[in-house]
Amino acid sequence: MTNATVVREPAERRRLWVEIAIVLGLSLGASAVYSIVSIVSRLTDETPLADQSASINQSRDSREWLDFTYQFLSIFFALFAVALVLYLLWRPGQSAFRRIGFDLTRPGRDIGSGVLLVAVIGIPGIALYAVGRLAGITVAVVPAPLDAFWWTVPILVLSALRAALTEEIIVVGYLFTRLSELGFSKWTIILSSAVLRGSYHLYQGIGPFFGNVAMGVVFGWCYARWGRTMPLVVAHWILDMLSFIGYPLALAWWPGIFGATG
């Protein structure tokens, strides 16, 4: 995490808080609120949590061309939130990309670090999901449609990239920068960011909340140490691609874990 100049002026501090509220309200903060409402709905439902399911990347229309159009537009417009925070972080003489380490100055090291993070996060993450399903505190997450078209895999790859960019650029790159400027300590920022990451995954159940908080702590610590979001984006993109594209295979091998039981 790059050293940010702490903002002292009260007016500027208020402006930053308003900016953070607007950014989160337009993006993952809103997702967190909807997720909290969703988990309350799930926990108060007569159907046990283990018998419920949550679909990601589900079909938007029965007509193939319209389904593709809706899927693509959803990904395209979601990236405007990423563009917004990059614009807000831009300073005269200092690129926002360079400021949060989202550039191509060290591609080999970034890819290597990202792959390492996949191993560190991916295997325990799958295990935690399986334990959560068996314990009845995690819903069956359906990350990909089972009816494939010619464009299904490319759209899933783009959807994974959208998630990686949105979460790592906003929740890590942007939020760490702004909270540092407001004078918060490193671990306060890491833990706050991790809880936010977990909260917008609550719609998947209690297990994924804690799993994503743990992921947020690891990713936040890595960003604080490396000062780069690129390895985090690489790791997140790979993890989601494996999840989205590998889901049908996982469902066939372990239907009791990856499929809804109800």
Side-chain angles (χ1 to χ4, degrees):
M1 183 167 59
T2 56
N3 293 324
T5 302
V6 177
V7 174
R8 304 293 183 184
E9 296 79 4
E12 181 63 13
R13 293 177 66 84
R14 286 194 297 271
R15 188 196 68 79
L16 288 180
W17 278 118
V18 171
E19 180 189 290
I20 291 171
I22 292 172
V23 167
L24 294 182
L26 291 173
S27 58
L28 294 167
S31 299
V33 173
Y34 280 117
S35 259
I36 292 170
V37 174
S38 176
I39 192 63
V40 171
S41 173
R42 291 183 183 280
L43 291 173
T44 55
D45 195 281
E46 294 180 356
T47 305
L49 203 60
D51 295 338
Q52 300 179 34
S53 63
S55 298
I56 308 172
N57 305 311
Q58 68 265 37
S59 176
R60 303 292 185 92
D61 198 280
S62 59
R63 290 165 290 181
E64 180 182 348
W65 71 274
L66 272 178
D67 191 10
F68 170 80
T69 301
Y70 281 129
Q71 300 278 3
F72 179 81
L73 290 178
S74 175
I75 295 169
F76 177 75
F77 285 113
L79 293 177
F80 274 82
V82 177
L84 173 62
V85 300
L86 289 170
Y87 175 79
L88 292 172
L89 290 177
W90 211 286
R91 296 191 301 197
Q94 186 177 22
S95 163
F97 296 96
R98 181 67 60 86
R99 193 175 179 190
I100 62 173
F102 184 63
D103 53 34
L104 299 177
T105 57
R106 36 176 277 185
R109 292 179 62 185
D110 287 338
I111 292 174
S113 299
V115 171
L116 178 61
L117 282 174
V118 170
V120 171
I121 295 294
I123 297 174
I126 294 173
L128 184 61
Y129 175 79
V131 170
R133 290 288 294 143
L134 295 174
I137 60 172
T138 300
V139 306
V141 180
V142 182
L146 297 179
D147 51 339
F149 300 109
W150 67 266
W151 47 264
T152 298
V153 170
I155 282 292
L156 290 176
V157 170
L158 288 176
S159 182
L161 179 60
R162 182 253 328 259
L165 290 172
T166 302
E167 295 189 40
E168 307 314 327
I169 299 299
I170 296 177
V171 176
V172 179
Y174 169 78
L175 201 56
F176 273 55
T177 301
R178 287 301 189 233
L179 293 181
S180 294
E181 291 173 342
L182 287 166
F184 287 92
S185 68
K186 178 180 74 173
W187 277 104
T188 298
I189 298 172
I190 290 174
L191 293 176
S192 299
S193 171
V195 170
L196 174 61
R197 187 188 295 263
S199 65
Y200 57 73
H201 287 94
L202 266 172
Y203 71 94
Q204 300 175 1
I206 305 300
F209 168 78
F210 288 107
N212 279 280
V213 168
M215 176 179 173
V217 170
V218 173
F219 274 31
W221 180 85
C222 288
Y223 180 69
R225 184 177 179 85
W226 299 335
R228 297 189 60 77
T229 55
M230 185 62 81
L232 312 184
V233 171
V234 170
H236 197 141
W237 191 13
I238 294 173
L239 286 169
D240 277 9
M241 282 194 293
L242 292 175
S243 174
F244 295 169
I245 299 172
Y247 171 72
L249 185 59
L251 180 63
W253 285 353
W254 303 287
I257 295 176
F258 291 94
T261 58

